Amino acid sequence: MRPPLCVDLDGTLVRTDLLYETLLAALRRRPWLVFALPFWLLAGKAHLKARLVEAAGDGIDFAGLPMTEDLIGYLRVEKEAGRRIELVSASDQRVVERVAEQVGLFDAVVGSDGSTNLKGEAKAAVLAARHPGGFVYAGDAKADMAVWRRAAGAIPVNGAVAWRDEVAALAPVEATFGAPSRLLPALFRGMRPHQWAKNGLILLPLLLTRAYALPEVLQAALAAITLFSIAASGTYLLNDLLDLSADRSHPSKRDRPLASGALPIPVAMVLSPLMIGGGLLGTLALDTGVFLALLAYLALTLVYSFGLKTQPVVDVLTLGALFTLRLLAGHLLVDAGVPAWLLVFCMSFFTSLALVKRLTEVRGLEERGLVSTPGRGYHAGDGPFVLALGLTTGISSVFIFIIYLVADPLHAERLADPEWLWVVPAVLGWWVPRVWLLATRGEMHDDPVVFALKDRASLVLGTLAVLAVLVAG
């Protein structure tokens, strides 16, 4: 008879840590609990875990947790062969039981009980007492070394695969599963560098007023783009932390670093406020107006993440406003400023692009037979409404630009050859309907900005529009 197989939970069976999952779920429901955390921790880590489980309620989507699939496949084979399999974790007993219910493989479940934190030496002692004849242990962390010292066999999983030889020196290795996370590539993807292109809007007021010819203004604009990008990446990490359940139920977003478990939650929890704070301090040193624009951007992003994203129409107007604030930051760097029409154009155009994303999401719901997505306000069947509103705002943005060219005399004073600006509405007049046509066909990427950066026709047309603006100046 083969020795029982005892499996760790956090980082082993699942590619995440349930302590931080429950922490996020608790803070999403009651943000003020952050002030109680130090007092709970003073009573011990097991007590902290128990209180977080109570505070999280049903806020954790256990069915969506990222699993180590090859390990689970092995457990199923061993189970069918008659081997005893136990789930033994430092997570709270109630959490371990919920995960065990989802997997449906375990003969016994053992977790922390609110007073004893079942980790390291404590776990080793419990397992040695439960299985005096020996056991095989599957784990992923350095703390599991204490368990492997008393085990009859070892299964290094995920992070522990990188130091398999150290594990083998303590217990014979039965198998290995998963792979260590590549932290830096995962972090880089989580920062969404492709989204930094959006901050190029800061340069548009410089192009339309020829202010780029002033070195100090151009340098300030480039610094503002960098600082906005740093702070925005911090907000992307924050949004992904708050959106774990929704992302894991999404066909493509579930592969994001945090949702998939490739990026550890604590890393994002530390770096997100640091990046946001760094961006704010940098803009404060650069220009007070740009600092206030970034502060408004971050405040609106925070409100969006904590609630506005669930409100239909309001959510896309918020996203449009976030783009407009980027443009406003560039506007504040130019002495003459830019006319209000440009801000209205930006709001209308980017609200339309936000609605493209929503149409893609609604189509995805309908294809998967779902009614709604957690954390979103749109339902299956909302497609016609989203399409109508998105086309209206998109085409309106093109007419706003045309009206400016016809009616606003100031562009003739600011630019040497303003006639070249007619290329811009000509390009947008073709590109906007094309984007919506592809979206209705289901051929659009989740994010139209990502689509534009990868689509050859969009890149060619975008280059023509930028060149026309430069020639006009």
Side-chain angles (χ1 to χ4, degrees):
M1 188 72 174
R2 301 184 70 186
L5 177 50
C6 302
V7 183
D8 180 39
L9 174 58
D10 301 309
T12 302
L13 185 71
V14 297
R15 297 180 62 88
T16 185
D17 190 322
L18 272 299
L19 168 60
Y20 295 101
E21 295 277 347
T22 52
L23 172 61
L24 288 174
L27 293 180
R28 277 195 296 267
R29 295 183 68 201
R30 304 171 186 173
W32 58 88
L33 288 179
V34 67
F35 300 109
L37 296 179
F39 300 99
W40 291 350
L41 185 57
L42 285 174
K45 203 166 184 179
H47 177 77
L48 170 68
K49 293 175 180 178
R51 295 302 301 271
L52 285 175
V53 170
E54 295 164 4
D58 58 356
I60 301 175
D61 177 19
F62 289 96
L65 292 174
M67 299 287 183
T68 306
E69 297 296 345
D70 52 353
L71 172 62
I72 292 177
Y74 180 75
L75 296 179
R76 293 193 190 282
V77 172
E78 293 297 296
K79 177 73 172 178
E80 291 172 1
R83 192 174 190 180
R84 181 177 176 83
I85 302 177
E86 299 181 354
L87 185 60
V88 185
S89 173
S91 286
D92 187 82
Q93 177 74 22
R94 290 162 291 182
V95 169
V96 185
E97 289 173 352
R98 290 292 303 276
V99 176
E101 289 173 8
Q102 290 293 326
V103 179
L105 285 172
F106 301 101
D107 298 296
V109 175
V110 183
S112 297
D113 59 5
S115 58
T116 300
N117 189 40
L118 206 64
K119 186 174 182 178
E121 292 290 350
K123 182 184 288 187
V126 167
L127 289 179
R130 286 177 63 86
H131 306 292
F135 62 93
V136 175
Y137 179 70
D140 73 294
K142 288 290 185 180
D144 294 321
M145 289 295 196
V147 184
W148 279 316
R149 288 191 186 95
R150 304 176 70 169
I155 299 180
V157 182
N158 293 327
V161 174
W163 24 277
R164 181 184 187 280
D165 292 342
E166 295 180 47
V167 178
L170 300 175
V173 173
E174 180 176 309
T176 61
F177 298 100
S181 295
R182 300 176 61 205
L183 180 59
L184 290 180
L187 176 60
F188 190 67
R189 285 196 298 121
M191 292 168 61
R192 302 186 208 173
H194 60 276
Q195 300 285 10
W196 296 343
K198 297 175 180 178
N199 297 314
L201 280 171
I202 292 173
L203 287 175
L204 187 55
L206 278 69
L207 297 177
L208 292 175
T209 59
R210 288 186 290 181
Y212 59 83
L214 302 173
E216 65 277 10
V217 176
L218 181 59
Q219 290 173 8
L222 294 175
I225 290 173
T226 302
L227 293 167
F228 261 75
S229 297
I230 292 171
S233 289
T235 66
Y236 296 142
L237 291 175
L238 175 61
N239 187 66
D240 286 353
L241 285 170
L242 298 172
D243 240 9
L244 282 177
S245 295
D247 286 351
R248 286 169 179 163
S249 66
H250 193 278
S252 60
K253 292 181 181 180
R254 63 187 178 192
D255 294 325
R256 285 179 174 176
L258 280 165
S260 66
L263 180 63
I265 290 175
V267 173
M269 292 179 71
V270 170
L271 288 182
S272 176
L274 288 178
M275 296 173 74
I276 292 172
L280 283 172
L281 289 175
T283 53
L284 183 60
L286 177 67
D287 180 89
T288 303
V290 175
F291 164 76
L292 292 174
L294 179 57
L295 184 62
Y297 172 91
L298 294 172
L300 192 56
T301 299
L302 191 63
V303 175
Y304 174 82
S305 297
F306 274 102
L308 292 185
K309 67 169 66 174
T310 65
Q311 304 301 314
V313 181
V314 175
D315 64 331
V316 291
L317 292 174
T318 303
L319 293 175
L322 291 175
F323 280 98
T324 307
L325 283 168
R326 292 175 169 101
L327 187 68
L328 180 62
H331 162 89
L332 295 170
L333 292 173
V334 179
D335 288 339
V338 291
W341 74 266
L342 187 59
L343 300 177
V344 178
F345 161 79
C346 183
M347 183 71 183
S348 182
F349 179 72
F350 285 104
T351 296
S352 177
L353 294 191
L355 284 161
V356 171
K357 291 184 66 173
R358 296 298 176 259
L359 180 63
T360 303
E361 292 171 0
V362 169
R363 291 278 192 255
L365 286 175
E366 294 168 351
E367 290 172 1
R368 302 196 305 275
L370 301 176
V371 175
S372 62
T373 299
R376 289 290 185 265
Y378 297 89
H379 298 167
D382 287 343
F385 167 79
V386 175
L387 173 62
L389 184 59
L391 270 175
T392 300
T393 52
I395 298 302
S396 295
S397 69
V398 178
F399 281 112
I400 290 169
F401 208 110
I402 292 173
I403 291 170
Y404 155 71
L405 293 177
V406 172
D408 192 338
L410 292 179
H411 67 273
E413 300 175 11
R414 293 186 174 98
L415 303 173
D417 296 298
E419 293 79 11
W420 281 98
L421 290 181
W422 282 97
V423 173
V424 176
V427 166
L428 293 179
W430 179 83
W431 187 80
V432 170
R434 176 173 179 261
V435 164
W436 277 101
L437 177 62
L438 293 175
T440 57
R441 291 176 175 175
E443 299 174 9
M444 173 60 58
H445 187 279
D446 293 339
D447 190 334
V449 174
V450 175
F451 164 79
L453 293 174
K454 294 182 178 181
D455 177 60
R456 184 177 300 176
S458 299
L459 290 172
V460 171
L461 290 171
T463 301
L464 286 176
V466 172
L467 289 175
V469 173
L470 290 173
V471 173

